[in-house]
Amino acid sequence: MEQTRRSRKKEQTHRAIMHSAKVLFEKNGINNVTIDRIAEEADISRSTFFTHFESLDALLGEIAAEEIGDILSPLEDGSKPTIETVFSRLNADTYPYPYLMGELFMRSIINQGTSPAARVDALLRQEIEQGSYEKMREHFSSKDISAFIFGAYFGLIFQKFMNDEPFENPDETNQKIQKLIKFFKN
């Protein structure tokens, strides 16, 4: 029983650190947040932070893996998510923390080796190759089509940043990207 309570407490602290970091990263930007500030916000000591994460980069890596994991979670139960589902999930994850998600996704993309973003891209390419994108594939590779869809999605997100628009209505962005995907399929 004692071990269960300890493990619950440890998990609660871990979640508190991650939540505090997400809020601070979103509010202040990744480069403007320190371990001390995260510890203060999570109401823990600096040493407790290091019990859970070896560095700020490790924390960012876990946040990115968790967010991308949410997008890829249908793979875990054996179902095959569609491109529409992937972008709907990406959109749902982006809206609470748009600056953070944009930054994490970009970091993942430029990361060397197999990144979580590369896993999403591979999933999209597979569906494009097996799905109803014949007309598009006459002119473009599955790699290009995946890049077009990703680019359009992040273009919509970045457009909101450039125009200083609030991130209040995730359905608006989701509807636009869903229309584009449907257009590419036809």
Side-chain angles (χ1 to χ4, degrees):
M1 185 88 157
E2 183 64 29
Q3 185 60 33
T4 304
R5 188 171 66 187
R6 272 193 193 131
S7 54
R8 277 196 318 262
K9 178 69 173 158
K10 186 174 182 178
E11 180 61 27
Q12 287 172 344
T13 301
H14 197 82
R15 291 268 152 228
I17 295 168
M18 289 186 59
H19 175 74
S20 295
K22 286 179 184 180
V23 169
L24 289 169
F25 290 146
E26 181 65 24
K27 183 178 175 184
N28 302 309
I30 288 175
N31 296 326
N32 299 317
V33 176
T34 64
I35 291 170
D36 289 334
R37 183 67 184 106
I38 294 168
E40 180 182 320
E41 185 74 19
D43 197 26
I44 60 166
S45 68
R46 183 177 170 86
S47 62
T48 299
F49 176 92
F50 285 109
T51 300
H52 291 268
F53 301 98
E54 67 182 39
S55 66
L56 203 53
D57 282 340
L59 171 62
L60 283 166
E62 188 168 325
I63 291 171
E66 180 181 74
E67 296 298 330
I68 299 291
D70 287 348
I71 296 165
L72 297 174
S73 63
L75 293 174
E76 293 172 7
D77 66 10
S79 63
K80 186 179 176 220
T82 64
I83 290 176
E84 292 87 350
T85 303
V86 167
F87 277 93
S88 184
R89 287 174 170 271
L90 176 59
N91 192 59
D93 276 2
T94 299
Y95 263 73
Y97 304 104
Y99 296 98
L100 176 61
M101 278 300 292
E103 177 86 21
L104 290 176
F105 218 86
M106 290 305 294
R107 283 177 178 229
S108 179
I109 289 169
I110 62 174
N111 195 13
Q112 295 289 340
T114 304
S115 69
R119 288 181 54 213
V120 175
D121 182 56
L123 175 76
L124 297 182
R125 287 190 206 185
Q126 183 179 17
E127 185 182 331
I128 290 165
E129 289 169 5
Q130 297 170 353
S132 55
Y133 291 83
E134 292 88 12
K135 272 195 153 173
M136 285 293 290
R137 285 187 295 135
E138 288 175 13
H139 305 281
F140 304 101
S141 69
S142 60
K143 178 180 170 183
D144 293 336
I145 297 168
S146 177
F148 295 154
I149 296 170
F150 265 119
Y153 175 75
F154 282 106
L156 291 169
I157 298 301
F158 293 151
Q159 183 181 50
K160 291 184 90 52
F161 289 141
M162 289 185 294
N163 294 317
D164 199 26
E165 297 173 13
F167 283 84
E168 297 174 338
N169 185 3
D171 291 337
E172 176 189 11
T173 304
N174 193 43
Q175 288 171 2
K176 288 177 183 178
I177 199 65
Q178 298 301 328
K179 283 181 185 177
L180 180 73
I181 292 167
K182 185 176 180 180
F183 176 78
F184 279 6
K185 278 187 169 183
N186 294 332

